[in-house]
Amino acid sequence: MTPMQAADVEAFVPLATRFNHVDEVIAFLTELGTSPMTEPGLVELDHALQCAAELKAIRPDDLALQVAGLVHDICHGRCHIRDHDRVGAAAVRPVFGDRVANLVALHVDAKRYLVVADENYRARLSAVSLKTLELQGGTMDAAEIAAFEAHPDAQDACLLRKADEAAKEPGRDVPGLDAWIDTLRHVAAMRP
Ligand SMILES: [Fe+2]
């Protein structure tokens, strides 16, 4: 099977989730606090919070990047592993705008890119992430690399992706969802 095409993804989104207001995103993230993750010993909200915390440490002033880290896997449990990037992007675009959505959309391609472009990256992948890499299309070929690098959000998507790999640590103490409410509301209010 081939990954869903863009038009198919748009049609699929209402079956999964499409958010219209930041309060809906906050409520959904809250639900992820009881949703087991595919990585052992974590719920989905743990992973989101650890990813956002990583990005805040790297780019403290880039609130949109941090929010992208918080929501990058928001449709992970609602659709196929191949498509959760684009389904998630379409779901959050109405609330947070294009930059957050584009970063979400690129986070799987960033993994496929980094396993070729960064010799140290593959060793950071979890066993689950290595397994899903093949389902997600495997490593990029030369044409895919060129297309990825041409995207204006490509380098920030790589930052998000590296934070993603570092956000799978059971029991890690990071700020909870309450600490992100003002940031989520701010980025939603500032969307172009
Ligand atoms: Fe993730």
Side-chain angles (χ1 to χ4, degrees):
M1 290 197 295
T2 57
M4 292 163 70
Q5 300 301 305
D8 299 327
V9 172
E10 288 296 316
F12 182 74
V13 168
L15 300 176
T17 303
R18 173 171 266 147
F19 302 106
N20 296 303
H21 192 278
V22 66
D23 287 343
E24 296 173 11
V25 178
I26 292 167
F28 195 87
L29 287 168
T30 303
E31 288 181 24
L32 298 185
T34 57
S35 178
M37 196 196 169
T38 48
E39 300 286 343
L42 294 156
V43 295
E44 291 191 279
L45 182 60
D46 294 331
H47 176 59
L49 293 170
Q50 289 184 25
C51 187
E54 285 282 328
L55 290 165
K56 186 172 183 176
I58 297 166
R59 285 267 191 87
D61 298 328
D62 193 344
L63 301 184
L65 178 63
Q66 295 163 30
V67 165
L70 199 55
V71 302
H72 77 279
D73 275 342
I74 201 160
C75 288
H76 195 272
R78 296 276 182 117
C79 56
H80 195 282
I81 188 70
R82 286 192 316 264
D83 306 307
H84 78 283
D85 48 353
R86 286 167 295 157
V87 175
V92 302
R93 195 179 301 274
V95 174
F96 297 118
D98 287 342
R99 180 154 180 261
V100 171
N102 291 343
L103 290 166
V104 173
L106 288 169
H107 87 272
V108 171
D109 280 347
K111 170 178 161 182
R112 296 183 57 230
Y113 171 76
L114 284 167
V115 289
V116 182
D118 183 337
E119 63 182 17
N120 298 315
Y121 174 73
R122 185 182 281 268
R124 300 188 198 177
L125 293 176
S126 69
V128 173
S129 200
L130 275 172
K131 192 172 175 184
T132 56
L133 174 63
E134 298 312 314
L135 291 171
Q136 291 161 337
T139 56
M140 283 186 169
D141 61 26
E144 290 174 314
I145 288 170
F148 179 81
E149 290 179 339
H151 198 291
D153 293 309
Q155 292 311 310
D156 288 347
C158 289
L159 277 185
L160 193 162
R161 187 69 221 190
K162 289 178 179 177
D164 189 348
E165 309 310 340
K168 301 173 181 178
E169 187 181 329
R172 180 172 168 190
D173 188 19
V174 293
L177 186 56
D178 286 353
W180 288 100
I181 302 300
D182 287 350
T183 301
L184 286 161
R185 293 194 192 288
H186 177 77
V187 172
M190 297 300 288
R191 76 182 181 279

